Amino acid sequence: DAMVIQNPRYQVTQFGKPVTLSCSQTLNHNVMYWYQQKSSQAPKLLFHYYDKDFNNEADTPDNFQSRRPNTSFCFLDIRSPGLGDAAMYLCATSRATGVDIQYFGAGTRLSVL
Amino acid sequence: GEDVEQSLFLSVREGDSSVINCTYTDSSSTYLYWYKQEPGAGLQLLTYIFSNMDMKQDQRLTVLLNKKDKHLSLRIADTQTGDSAIYFCAIPGGGNKLTFGTGTQLKVEL
């Protein structure tokens, strides 16, 4: 059973049209992360939530926002997508204690036309 | 921030061993991880090693850690075509953060 679920798997949007990507988890983990992964590159952390505490990476553009309305769900909002934002977006969760493994969803591949 | 480097490609024949290397500049003293990514998919945790260990074996996988040289390696014994994927090492920094390596694409040839 999938534990970190991302919807949709593929998303196409138009240049400048806001888009929201969704992530849900059944693990009851404290921490949820959003990564951006461009082709042939390593995942790059955009931000993460520790419970309701939002932690933005210093180099994450303002165009990227996130919401975590409850423990299970986290959203990535891209306010005005540009061509350079086309990428795979990966959501991950962790307990933040002990081994603190990050569990990843299957990702959403975003195309910007 | 941390720099985490891996070689980009590795090609092996089916049945041979594969060794994927990772070097890093800094790490907090917790666990170091290896993830596998198949085409179009998310990252799957393969194995991890605690930073006070120098070796961990898990079935076909052997992880070696040299803290002095800041070098981590993953050995896959009896490599199969299903092992073809991109392998990322992931090194923890502070505050729940992981820094991923550049990824090594493993190609297994018949």
Side-chain angles (χ1 to χ4, degrees), chain A residues 50-89:
Chain A
Y50 192 127
D51 292 328
K52 290 186 181 295
D53 185 22
F54 177 68
N55 298 273
N56 199 29
E57 292 302 297
D59 56 356
T60 297
D62 292 340
N63 200 22
F64 292 85
Q65 305 284 318
S66 186
R67 295 170 284 135
R68 189 179 185 186
N70 53 52
T71 301
S72 301
F73 285 87
C74 194
F75 300 99
L76 169 62
D77 300 308
I78 309 176
R79 292 193 296 188
S80 182
L83 298 178
D85 297 328
M88 174 78 92
Y89 289 88

Side-chain angles (χ1 to χ4, degrees), chain A residues 2-77:
Chain A
M3 297 179 289
V4 182
I5 302 158
Q6 291 190 242
N7 285 306
R9 290 294 313 278
Y10 301 92
Q11 176 75 56
V12 181
T13 191
Q14 292 179 330
F15 183 94
K17 184 174 180 182
V19 66
T20 295
L21 309 183
S22 163
C23 178
S24 64
Q25 54 136 337
T26 59
L27 298 163
N28 204 33
H29 281 175
N30 300 100
V31 192
M32 294 188 78
Y33 308 80
W34 279 105
Y35 290 85
Q36 180 191 64
Q37 187 182 25
K38 295 189 176 181
S39 183
S40 303
Q41 295 184 20
K44 178 178 177 300
L45 183 64
L46 294 173
F47 26 58
H48 73 277
Y49 274 94
Y50 192 127
D51 292 328
K52 290 186 181 295
D53 185 22
F54 177 68
N55 298 273
N56 199 29
E57 292 302 297
D59 56 356
T60 297
D62 292 340
N63 200 22
F64 292 85
Q65 305 284 318
S66 186
R67 295 170 284 135
R68 189 179 185 186
N70 53 52
T71 301
S72 301
F73 285 87
C74 194
F75 300 99
L76 169 62
D77 300 308

Side-chain angles (χ1 to χ4, degrees), chain A residues 84-105:
Chain A
D85 297 328
M88 174 78 92
Y89 289 88
L90 297 166
C91 173
T93 73
S94 74
R95 286 190 307 167
T97 58
V99 178
D100 198 20
I101 295 166
Q102 291 191 19
Y103 294 89
F104 282 80

Side-chain angles (χ1 to χ4, degrees), chain B residues 24 65-71:
Chain B
Y24 57 95
L65 174 61
N66 183 327
K67 281 189 73 174
K68 176 175 169 290
D69 294 340
K70 294 186 166 56
H71 184 265

Side-chain angles (χ1 to χ4, degrees), chain B residues 61-94:
Chain B
L61 306 177
T62 302
V63 180
L64 296 177
L65 174 61
N66 183 327
K67 281 189 73 174
K68 176 175 169 290
D69 294 340
K70 294 186 166 56
H71 184 265
L72 182 70
S73 68
L74 173 70
R75 179 177 180 270
I76 307 172
D78 187 25
T79 312
Q80 303 297 306
T81 54
D83 295 324
S84 293
I86 300 176
Y87 291 80
F88 291 95
C89 60
I91 310 298

